[in-house]
Amino acid sequence: MYKDPNYRRELIMKHYMKPLLKKQSDEKETIYYHSNQCVDEVKIYLTIENDIVKDVFWDGQGCAVFQSSTDIFLSMIKDKDINYVNTLIENYEALINRVGSYDENMLGDLMVYFNVGEHLNRAVCAKMVSDAMKQLGGK
């Protein structure tokens, strides 16, 4: 199903137009990250207890690839431990960078970005969320 361009487009646009976890906040973000190549920027708000992501949401601006990948990635880490987050980062970056192996089952909806590496600028946008999450440490 991820090979179907219509499915990919629909999923990406769904998370771009109506993101599940995007909201504005007056709180101080846990992670701030911006692209060096475009206007994409993200603020990620995390509540972590005993190495478990208890709550997560984000705010930011940018293209459809950046915003949708951020929304999908962050929705996959809620109630997961930091080790899972780091493994998800490794798998996702292997997919985007086309280097090494990755677990399609673990990546789930992130598999819609399997061919984003064909366009370097889109790969940078898709990888922003994983680059940002590395600020938590461990990777």
Side-chain angles (χ1 to χ4, degrees):
M1 101 179 118
Y2 298 110
K3 304 272 187 199
D4 177 357
N6 290 325
Y7 177 81
R8 288 196 314 269
R9 188 173 15 261
E10 286 176 22
L11 186 62
I12 289 168
M13 291 311 293
K14 172 183 153 188
H15 282 275
Y16 173 64
M17 300 299 291
K18 295 183 180 180
L20 302 172
L21 298 177
K22 185 177 181 184
K23 67 180 181 178
Q24 292 182 337
S25 176
D26 291 331
E27 297 176 40
K28 173 74 174 133
E29 70 273 2
T30 309
I31 296 170
Y32 173 80
Y33 195 81
H34 68 279
S35 174
N36 292 328
Q37 298 184 7
C38 62
V39 298
D40 295 350
E41 70 173 356
V42 65
K43 296 175 184 176
I44 300 173
Y45 303 84
L46 294 158
T47 302
I48 300 173
E49 297 173 6
N50 299 319
D51 287 338
I52 305 291
V53 177
K54 292 296 186 181
D55 193 22
V56 59
F57 63 95
W58 68 279
D59 191 18
Q61 62 182 7
C63 68
V65 170
F66 152 66
Q67 288 198 48
S68 62
S69 61
T70 297
D71 200 58
I72 293 169
F73 186 100
L74 295 179
S75 69
M76 294 176 66
I77 67 168
K78 187 166 186 210
D79 297 322
K80 300 290 195 288
D81 66 35
I82 296 301
N83 289 329
Y84 175 88
V85 174
N86 287 329
T87 302
L88 184 62
I89 289 169
E90 290 173 3
N91 277 266
Y92 184 57
E93 290 190 347
L95 172 76
I96 299 300
N97 295 331
R98 298 175 166 207
V99 177
S101 61
Y102 50 85
D103 182 342
E104 289 185 25
N105 291 323
M106 174 181 239
L107 290 172
D109 284 346
L110 290 171
M111 284 299 301
V112 300
Y113 304 101
F114 79 93
N115 69 343
V116 78
E118 294 174 8
H119 308 280
L120 184 56
N121 60 330
R122 288 185 183 159
V124 169
C125 297
K127 215 168 79 84
M128 273 192 60
V129 66
S130 59
D131 287 342
M133 290 301 295
K134 289 179 191 176
Q135 291 183 30
L136 284 178
K139 292 294 162 198

